[in-house]
Amino acid sequence: MRSRVQIFLFLFSINLCAQEGLIVGNADSLDLEQVIISASRSSVHDPLTFQNISSDKIETIYNGQDPAVLLQQLSPSIISYSDAGTDIGNYAQFRMRGIDQSRINITLNGVPLNDMVDQGVYFSNFSDFGNSIESIQVQRGVSASNAGVASYGGAINFESPNIFSGDLRAEQQLTVGSFGTLRTATELRTGLMKNKLGAYARMTRTRVGGYKTHSASDAFSFFGSAGYAGEKDIIKITGFMGKTQNDQSYLPVLLSDIETDPKTNYNHPNDTDDFEQELIQVQYTRSLSNATQLGATVYYGGARGVFPFAIDDETQFVYGLSNDHYGIMSHLTHTLSNVLLKAGVQANTFDRTNYEYVAPNVGNPYDRDFTKKNDISAFGKVSYNLNNLNLYADLQVRSVAIDFSPDEELETGMNLNESWFFVNFVTGLSYNISQGQSIYASFGRAGREPTRSDIRNGVLEAEYANDLELGWRMQTDKWNINANLFNMMFDNEISSVGALMERSYMEIRQNVPNSRRSGLELAIAYKPTSKVAIDINAAYMNTNVSEFDNGTETINDVQHIFAPNFVFRPQVNFSFSDQIGLILSGRKVSASFMELSNIKSFELPAHTVFNAQLDVDVTPKASISFMLNNIFDELYFTDGAPVDLDFDGVVEGPGFRVQPPRHFYMVFKVGF
C-alpha cells in the first residue's frame, strides 16, 4: 500500500506541472540544485581519487544492466559478477580494488542506499535504476565524509535527474535480446514550468529468462521526482520503488559440471525469492546569501521479502526480513574569497526483523530476531586555495550502536548490545602545475563496524583502513588523464576467507591483524579527431594479508581473494556520421585466488572479453542500438568459492559463477 501511495503522489505532482506550460529554466535555481549533492562530492581541486561520470556516458552504453555492471564499464578497479550470468535482471554485485560493495558507501543525492546492518546494496530490488541517473561520482579509497556506512574502500554517489532543466519531453524504451530479455520503460520530464514546478517519472518492467537454468527474473520499478524551484530555495521530493522475483542461482558450480553443461545451477528449481524496496527523500535547499547555502533532507527507506533455500524436493527453508530506515541530515556551505567551508550532521535509525521457517509453515517460524541500529555523525570540510596550492581537510566523527534482541516466545536468536565510535579523516593538498594540469597527495583513515552476519558469527571488532593517494590530472582539448598511486594499509581487516556459509551466499570472514593493497590506476580519454574517441581504464594492484587462521594452522603472507593484479578495459568510439556510431570495447582481468590460503588449484582464471555496439539514429527522436557482448564466446568466471555439495564439511573442489557466452541486446528509443 505504501508503494501505491508514493506512485499516486508522484503522478499527481506531474499532472499539476503539466497543466502550467513551460518557461526557460532559471540559472540560479539550477545552480542551487547542485548544492543538494555538493556536500558529499569532491570537487576538481580536492586531493582525492575520484571520477565523474555524466549522463551522456551512461546513456551511451545503458541497456538496462545492473549498476554494478555499469560501473565496471565506466571506472577503473571495478569488477562485477552476476548470479544468473546476465547483465540484466537477478543479482549482480561489484568489488572496487578487490573490496566488496558492503565496504563501499553508496548514496543517492547523499542519502544512504546501503542496508545499514548487512551494509550491502541489492540493486535488483529496484531494477532500471541506472536509467534515472543524472551523474555518478566514483571515489576510490578512503573518501570524503558521507552519510550512511563508512567510506572504507570508496564511495559511489548517484545524482537523480535535474528536474528543472530541459524541455517537456517523453521517451519510450524497449530492450530485447538473449536469455529471453524483454524490458519496457516509459519516461516523462517536464522541465521547469511557469509555476516554478518540475517533475520526472519513469516506469519499467523487466523480464529475463537468465542464462543459467532456472535463473529468471521478473521486476517492476518506478522512479519519480517533483519539486519547486524559487529564487532562493528549492524543495524536491525524490523516490523509487521496486518489486522483484528472482530464481535463485548463486551457488558456485564445479568446473566439471560447467564443462558438461555451462547452465548448471545447484540451487533448487523451486527457489524463487520475492522482494520489494522503496525509498523516499524530501530535500530542501536555501540560499542564505551569495556565499552561504543550507541544505536539509529527511528520508525513509523500506524493504521486505523472502529468500528460500530447498535442500531437497521435500524440505525448503525460507529466510524472511523486513526493514524500516529513517534518517535526517543537514549541511551548510560557506564560501569566502579563497576558502570553502562545509559542515553537516546526520542521524538515522534502522529496524530489522529476520525470521526463518520451513515451507509452507509461514505462520510458524522456528527462528526470529530483531535488530536495531542507530547511526549519528557530524563532519567538517575545509578547502583553502593559495595561488596554485589547495589545502584540504575533512573530519568526521561517527557513533554507531547496534542491538540484537531474540524473540522471547521462540527463545531463539542472540541478545547483544554493541557500540563503536569512529574518527574518520582525509587531509591533503593539490598543486596546479599549469592550466588544466595538477598533482595531489592525500592521506585518510576510516573505521568500519562489522555487519550483522559478521557479529552473528563472532566477529565483533571494528576494522580500519589507512589510505595514501598520490595523483596527477591533465585535461586539454584532446586529452583527459587521471593517474594515481595508492597504498591502503588495514588494521584488523574483516577479510573473506573464500568459503560460503552453509545454505547461503554469504562469505565467511574473520579479522586479520595486518593487510595491504597498493597499486596504480589510470583513466585516460583521448579524442584525436572529431570522429574518434578512445577511453582506457586500467589498474595494477598487489595485495598482502600478513597472517590468518584457516582453522587448523596460521598461514602467513598471502594475497587477498578476488584481487587480480591487472585489470585493463579499452574502448574506441567511431562516429561515421551524425547518425551512425560504433563502439568497440574489451576487458582483460588477470587471475586471482578464491580462497585465502592461495592454493593454486583454487584459482579464478584470467579472462579476456570483447564487446561491440552499433548505434543508429533513425530520426532526431528515434534510435536503435545493437549490442554484441563476449564476441569470441569465451567461457569465463568473475567469482567462485570452494564447493561443499553435501554440506558435510568435505570440499569437492573449486566452484565458479559462470558469466554469459556470446549474447546480444537491441535497444529501441523513441522520444516525443
Side-chain angles (χ1 to χ4, degrees):
M1 177 62 72
R2 183 186 295 116
S3 299
R4 293 177 181 175
V5 170
Q6 289 179 17
I7 291 177
F8 172 79
L9 290 174
F10 286 127
L11 294 181
F12 178 70
S13 300
I14 292 172
N15 180 61
L16 286 178
C17 296
Q19 295 178 23
E20 295 296 330
L22 289 164
I23 62 170
V24 177
N26 184 297
D28 292 338
S29 297
L30 299 182
D31 291 340
L32 188 57
E33 188 181 19
Q34 297 305 306
V35 175
I36 294 175
I37 64 166
S38 66
S40 58
R41 285 198 171 183
S42 298
S43 69
V44 67
H45 299 296
D46 293 343
L48 303 175
T49 300
F50 67 92
Q51 182 180 11
N52 292 322
I53 302 169
S54 67
S55 59
D56 291 340
K57 280 197 171 184
I58 297 170
E59 291 175 5
T60 298
I61 62 173
Y62 188 77
N63 62 352
Q65 64 266 55
D66 190 282
V69 179
L70 186 67
L71 290 166
Q72 173 184 257
Q73 296 172 270
L74 296 170
S75 183
S77 291
I78 293 179
I79 298 176
S80 71
Y81 58 97
S82 70
D83 289 355
T86 56
D87 297 343
I88 303 175
N90 218 295
Y91 290 101
Q93 298 189 59
F94 72 90
R95 299 184 182 91
M96 178 189 295
R97 295 180 177 175
I99 300 171
D100 72 90
Q101 67 187 53
S102 70
R103 291 162 167 77
I104 310 298
N105 176 282
I106 304 176
T107 58
L108 173 66
N109 302 331
V111 171
L113 293 180
N114 299 73
D115 181 300
M116 295 303 292
V117 296
D118 291 333
Q119 302 192 35
V121 177
Y122 304 97
F123 288 108
S124 174
N125 293 350
F126 40 97
S127 61
D128 203 36
F129 180 76
N131 222 7
S132 297
I133 296 303
E134 185 78 19
S135 69
I136 308 171
Q137 183 172 94
V138 179
Q139 302 175 12
R140 300 189 298 275
V142 172
S143 308
S145 296
N146 292 285
V149 304
S151 299
Y152 180 86
I156 309 290
N157 182 278
F158 295 99
E159 178 190 8
S160 65
N162 190 328
I163 61 176
F164 304 119
S165 65
D167 300 324
L168 175 65
R169 60 192 185 277
E171 183 178 84
Q172 181 70 44
Q173 287 191 16
L174 172 66
T175 300
V176 297
S178 300
F179 322 122
T181 299
L182 177 62
R183 167 181 164 269
T184 58
T186 303
E187 178 180 290
L188 172 66
R189 295 172 183 257
T190 67
L192 186 62
M193 318 306 291
K194 289 181 179 179
N195 56 9
K196 299 184 179 181
L197 298 179
Y200 166 90
R202 183 179 187 85
M203 286 190 177
T204 305
R205 181 69 181 271
T206 304
R207 293 182 177 179
V208 183
Y211 169 59
K212 294 168 67 174
T213 303
H214 55 84
S215 61
S217 180
D218 186 355
F220 165 80
S221 64
F222 172 81
F223 194 111
S225 187
Y228 166 84
E231 295 296 327
K232 296 291 185 180
D233 50 12
I234 285 179
I235 185 168
K236 185 177 178 181
I237 304 173
T238 301
F240 61 73
M241 53 122 347
K243 182 173 176 59
T244 308
Q245 291 181 315
N246 292 317
D247 291 344
Q248 300 302 283
S249 54
Y250 59 83
L251 289 176
V253 178
L254 291 171
L255 182 60
S256 58
D257 288 331
I258 292 175
E259 291 173 340
T260 301
D261 179 5
K263 298 183 179 181
T264 299
N265 183 3
Y266 288 164
N267 289 88
H268 197 277
N270 292 336
D271 289 346
T272 301
D273 73 9
D274 191 342
F275 274 91
E276 59 183 82
Q277 185 169 347
E278 66 272 346
L279 172 72
I280 186 166
Q281 52 185 251
V282 181
Q283 297 169 306
Y284 176 72
T285 307
R286 175 74 178 180
S287 177
L288 302 178
S289 68
N290 291 335
T292 308
Q293 294 82 37
L294 174 69
T297 302
V298 295
Y299 61 89
Y300 166 80
R304 64 209 57 81
V306 292
F307 175 90
F309 182 86
I311 59 174
D312 51 43
D313 292 335
E314 304 295 329
T315 306
Q316 184 185 53
F317 295 95
V318 180
Y319 308 94
L321 63 84
S322 178
N323 294 337
D324 289 297
H325 185 189
Y326 301 89
I328 184 169
M329 53 203 302
S330 180
H331 69 271
L332 186 72
T333 301
H334 182 69
T335 306
L336 300 174
S337 59
N338 58 350
V339 179
L340 176 62
L341 301 172
K342 297 180 183 179
V345 296
Q346 75 89 28
N348 67 76
T349 184
F350 191 92
D351 291 295
R352 159 77 68 80
T353 299
N354 284 82
Y355 54 91
E356 302 175 15
Y357 62 88
V358 178
N361 301 315
V362 179
N364 187 29
Y366 64 84
D367 188 14
R368 182 165 53 206
D369 62 71
F370 310 97
T371 307
K372 185 177 183 65
K373 184 175 183 179
N374 295 318
D375 185 328
I376 301 174
S377 67
F379 73 86
K381 304 177 186 181
V382 58
S383 180
Y384 176 70
N385 183 262
L386 183 62
N387 297 322
N388 292 320
L389 182 67
N390 191 75
L391 306 177
Y392 175 87
D394 178 350
L395 177 67
Q396 180 195 51
V397 292
R398 179 169 175 255
S399 176
V400 182
I402 190 167
D403 176 76
F404 292 92
S405 301
D407 187 307
E408 295 181 356
E409 295 182 3
L410 298 177
E411 297 182 350
T412 61
M414 64 167 52
N415 194 340
L416 180 69
N417 296 296
E418 288 289 335
S419 61
W420 299 268
F421 183 79
F422 300 103
V423 178
N424 304 322
F425 68 89
V426 181
T427 184
L429 55 86
S430 63
Y431 181 76
N432 294 326
I433 301 173
S434 61
Q435 182 68 30
Q437 187 174 188
S438 64
I439 55 175
Y440 67 87
S442 65
F443 178 79
R445 178 176 170 85
R448 172 185 175 272
E449 70 279 8
T451 67
R452 175 181 181 273
S453 60
D454 290 331
I455 295 171
R456 285 173 62 90
N457 285 278
V459 179
L460 300 176
E461 296 184 49
E463 58 181 344
Y464 296 87
N466 306 281
D467 181 26
L468 176 65
E469 303 274 339
L470 303 174
W472 170 59
R473 301 185 180 109
M474 186 186 78
Q475 184 171 1
T476 67
D477 292 339
K478 292 186 176 183
W479 291 91
N480 191 336
I481 301 176
N482 288 270
N484 66 282
L485 296 166
F486 65 89
N487 187 30
M488 301 187 73
M489 299 155 287
F490 302 91
D491 300 328
N492 213 37
E493 180 182 6
I494 303 174
S495 178
S496 296
V497 302
L500 300 179
M501 296 179 188
E502 184 177 344
R503 303 199 308 264
S504 175
Y505 61 95
M506 301 295 293
E507 299 172 318
I508 296 175
R509 298 192 286 235
Q510 64 176 251
N511 290 111
V512 296
N514 296 291
S515 54
R516 171 187 54 80
R517 300 170 194 260
S518 56
L520 167 68
E521 295 167 326
L522 293 172
I524 302 173
Y526 175 52
K527 194 171 179 63
T529 72
S530 60
K531 300 294 185 180
V532 179
I534 301 172
D535 286 283
I536 295 175
N537 289 329
Y540 171 80
M541 182 174 66
N542 179 271
T543 76
N544 177 267
V545 176
S546 61
E547 65 178 61
F548 89 102
D549 183 358
N550 70 354
T552 59
E553 62 177 327
T554 298
I555 299 179
N556 299 313
D557 294 323
V558 291
Q559 297 180 40
H560 285 90
I561 67 172
F562 306 122
N565 293 129
F566 186 70
V567 179
F568 180 66
R569 191 198 67 82
Q571 177 176 301
V572 183
N573 295 38
F574 300 95
S575 298
F576 299 110
S577 68
D578 291 339
Q579 290 76 39
I580 301 176
L582 176 66
I583 301 174
L584 301 177
S585 64
R587 183 174 68 256
K588 182 174 180 60
V589 180
S590 64
S592 61
F593 293 103
M594 66 172 66
E595 58 80 49
L596 202 51
S597 297
N598 288 184
I599 300 173
K600 185 68 176 178
S601 58
F602 287 87
E603 187 177 73
L604 192 67
H607 68 266
T608 304
V609 181
F610 293 97
N611 308 313
Q613 176 178 329
L614 179 66
D615 299 317
V616 179
D617 291 337
V618 181
T619 71
K621 292 188 176 182
S623 66
I624 300 175
S625 295
F626 179 81
M627 303 168 180
L628 182 63
N629 298 328
N630 197 358
I631 296 173
F632 298 107
D633 207 27
E634 177 170 351
L635 177 67
Y636 73 103
F637 324 105
T638 55
D639 189 71
V643 173
D644 177 4
L645 283 174
D646 303 319
F647 302 110
D648 59 0
V650 178
V651 173
E652 281 78 13
F656 303 94
R657 289 190 177 107
V658 65
Q659 297 304 291
R662 184 187 300 118
H663 61 285
F664 80 94
Y665 298 110
M666 293 186 69
V667 181
F668 304 88
K669 298 180 183 179
V670 179
F672 303 96

